[in-house]
Amino acid sequence: MNNFKKLSVAEGARAELHDALNLTGAEISVNSLPAGASVPFVHSHKQNEEIYAILEGEGKVVIDGEEVGLKAGDWLRVSPSAKRRFFASEKSALKYICIQVKENSLENYTAGDAVI
């Protein structure tokens, strides 16, 4: 049995990686919104924070009524209880990764968790 799993994600609106990669501590999705489109719902979470990496394009997210502009290269962390909805700009598609993890669950990171 391998200690890794590799996956290629095809172009498309959304790809969830939890099941495909047998993830045990996170949910990761790759998302694409065409120009002028939006996620069709507002949502929040019970216990998971979300970290967003904007890969391509530009748009905005509305978080608890506050509008935040987004562009390629931006990173954003959103608390579980915050209500959020993403929008691509009228001129540009928006492609982003969302990493969902349990808030306050990280005990060690980077060199502190490494075995060298």
Side-chain angles (χ1 to χ4, degrees), residues 5-102:
K5 187 160 187 182
K6 180 183 174 190
L7 173 72
S8 292
V9 175
E11 288 295 318
R14 181 172 169 86
E16 293 181 354
L17 306 184
H18 179 270
D19 292 339
L21 290 175
N22 300 324
L23 300 176
T24 64
E27 166 62 297
I28 301 172
S29 62
V30 180
N31 304 270
S32 294
L33 292 172
S38 68
V39 172
F41 53 85
V42 174
H43 80 285
S44 62
H45 288 278
K46 296 175 186 172
Q47 62 182 3
N48 293 339
E49 66 186 9
E50 289 182 321
I51 301 99
Y52 295 91
I54 309 306
L55 303 176
E56 298 174 10
E58 57 186 43
K60 69 179 180 183
V61 58
V62 177
I63 305 169
D64 291 338
E66 183 177 340
E67 193 172 297
V68 179
L70 300 171
K71 65 182 183 330
D74 287 348
W75 285 82
L76 175 71
R77 183 246 180 212
V78 181
S79 296
S81 63
K83 291 176 174 47
R84 71 215 67 171
R85 184 174 178 195
F86 283 77
F87 300 81
S89 79
E90 292 296 323
K91 299 180 274 179
S92 171
L94 184 66
K95 185 172 184 176
Y96 60 94
I97 293 174
C98 176
I99 304 165
Q100 191 179 124
V101 295
K102 186 175 180 182

